[in-house]
Amino acid sequence: GFWKSITESDYLTFKLVHAVQVSTPEIADAIRPYNPNVQVFSNALDALPLPRSENQPKQHQGLKIFFGALNRENDWKPLIDGLNQVFRDDPDFWSVAVVHDRKFYDSLDLPDQQKSFLGLCAYRDYISVMAQCDICFMPLADIRFNRMKSDLKAVEAGAHGLALLASNVVYQKSLVDGETGALFDDVEGLQQHLRSWKQDPSQVQRLGEQARAWVSSSRLASHQVAERYLWYQHICGQRQKLTDQIFERVPELVQLCS
């Protein structure tokens, strides 16, 4: 519904294919009225990166937060004042690395040397900046568009051993608060996590290690091989039936193909 080209074509993007593969059950439910042959495979990584100790030793003091996002202003704006309150209590302890969102970077009440900015960039550069941080900040407001999102960023950051500081929206379905991540509903919950970590930074390392273990045990592409193989076999075996369904969904094709 976000892309006019899809809605204006009456969802031919989905009607004209045999099957659709998506990353969340919510997206599957949204697409199923236009094509019932939908399968969900959660986003996963091809491989687990090297642990931080082997890959990129920590080069900074205090704790460093990663924030990389597109079109997230409405998600972080209600939280920015509370975030800055925590930063002002000890600006030398906190630092933030921002990718793409210049407004977020400009809104941070931190000295210039305690924050960095990288514009829209290649994926490898995005991951490189992320991997140098301790915490991944992932706020999402409770709106329909956000509820369709996957937890991919948590998987990416967790794989690099970052502590996952995330909204309950989306992330409560895959993260366990206090074990594989730190979840919050509002600015007070966000501040509580950060102030607790300021008092005991070892909590951040522990959460990062447990997030990495979560990715290692359940969110690698290798975990999906058998299920994917069976589904691809299934749809290939029903190719003619699925082709007939396309003609039923888009009867105009009958004349074009005759």
Side-chain angles (χ1 to χ4, degrees):
F2 184 79
W3 289 275
K4 287 185 178 181
S5 61
I6 292 179
T7 58
E8 289 174 352
S9 70
D10 193 26
Y11 299 92
L12 287 179
T13 299
F14 309 119
K15 292 180 179 180
L16 283 173
V17 297
H18 291 89
V20 183
Q21 179 178 310
V22 299
S23 59
T24 73
E26 290 77 12
I27 297 176
D29 290 342
I31 290 176
R32 202 166 278 116
Y34 313 107
N35 190 323
N37 307 302
V38 185
Q39 183 70 20
V40 179
F41 292 108
S42 299
N43 281 322
L45 299 186
D46 289 340
L48 196 68
L50 291 173
R52 182 193 300 270
S53 58
E54 299 177 37
N55 183 26
Q56 195 157 24
K58 185 172 177 178
Q59 300 292 333
H60 56 274
Q61 301 299 317
L63 292 173
K64 189 172 187 177
I65 299 173
F66 173 81
F67 181 79
L70 297 170
N71 304 318
R72 288 282 161 260
E73 184 175 357
N74 291 334
D75 300 318
W76 59 255
K77 209 166 185 179
L79 303 168
I80 191 65
D81 288 342
L83 193 62
N84 280 330
Q85 286 176 13
V86 174
F87 292 160
R88 283 192 292 268
D89 289 343
D90 193 344
D92 294 328
F93 180 83
W94 299 102
S95 58
V96 181
V98 181
V99 173
H100 186 266
D101 195 327
R102 184 74 197 195
K103 287 185 177 180
F104 182 78
Y105 173 85
D106 290 337
S107 298
L108 294 171
D109 192 2
L110 280 170
D112 289 344
Q113 67 270 21
Q114 295 297 107
K115 57 182 182 178
S116 64
F117 177 77
L118 178 66
L120 195 62
C121 60
Y123 180 72
R124 64 179 179 275
D125 298 324
Y126 166 85
I127 291 296
S128 177
V129 174
M130 174 188 284
Q132 298 173 44
C133 298
D134 305 297
I135 300 163
C136 186
F137 178 44
M138 298 173 288
L140 289 175
D142 191 9
I143 60 174
R144 183 173 184 266
F145 184 86
N146 285 345
R147 290 194 293 270
M148 297 286 176
K149 283 181 62 62
S150 83
D151 60 356
L152 174 59
K153 190 173 297 180
V155 175
E156 294 169 331
H160 284 88
L162 277 70
L164 308 177
L165 179 59
S167 63
N168 275 306
V169 176
V170 170
Y171 297 106
Q172 69 175 349
K173 290 177 290 186
S174 51
L175 299 179
V176 178
D177 189 32
E179 294 185 19
T180 52
L183 302 177
F184 61 87
D185 271 326
D186 50 32
V187 67
E188 289 78 15
L190 170 63
Q191 290 178 317
Q192 183 176 354
H193 286 308
L194 292 173
R195 286 173 173 151
S196 176
W197 293 345
K198 169 64 173 61
Q199 295 299 316
D200 182 10
S202 67
Q203 296 179 66
V204 172
Q205 181 178 354
R206 177 182 62 82
L207 282 174
E209 290 171 351
Q210 291 173 181
R212 180 177 163 82
W214 160 64
V215 175
S216 177
S217 65
S218 63
R219 297 303 294 271
L220 298 178
S222 58
H223 300 133
Q224 301 176 354
V225 170
E227 186 180 1
R228 284 176 181 266
Y229 179 71
L230 288 175
W231 186 61
Y232 298 149
Q233 268 196 325
H234 172 72
I235 59 176
C236 285
Q238 299 197 39
R239 179 175 177 178
Q240 186 56 54
K241 176 183 176 181
L242 299 180
T243 299
D244 293 341
Q245 290 179 4
I246 293 176
F247 286 116
E248 292 173 6
R249 290 193 294 270
V250 190
E252 299 91 328
L253 281 179
V254 177
Q255 292 183 343
L256 292 174
C257 296
S258 60

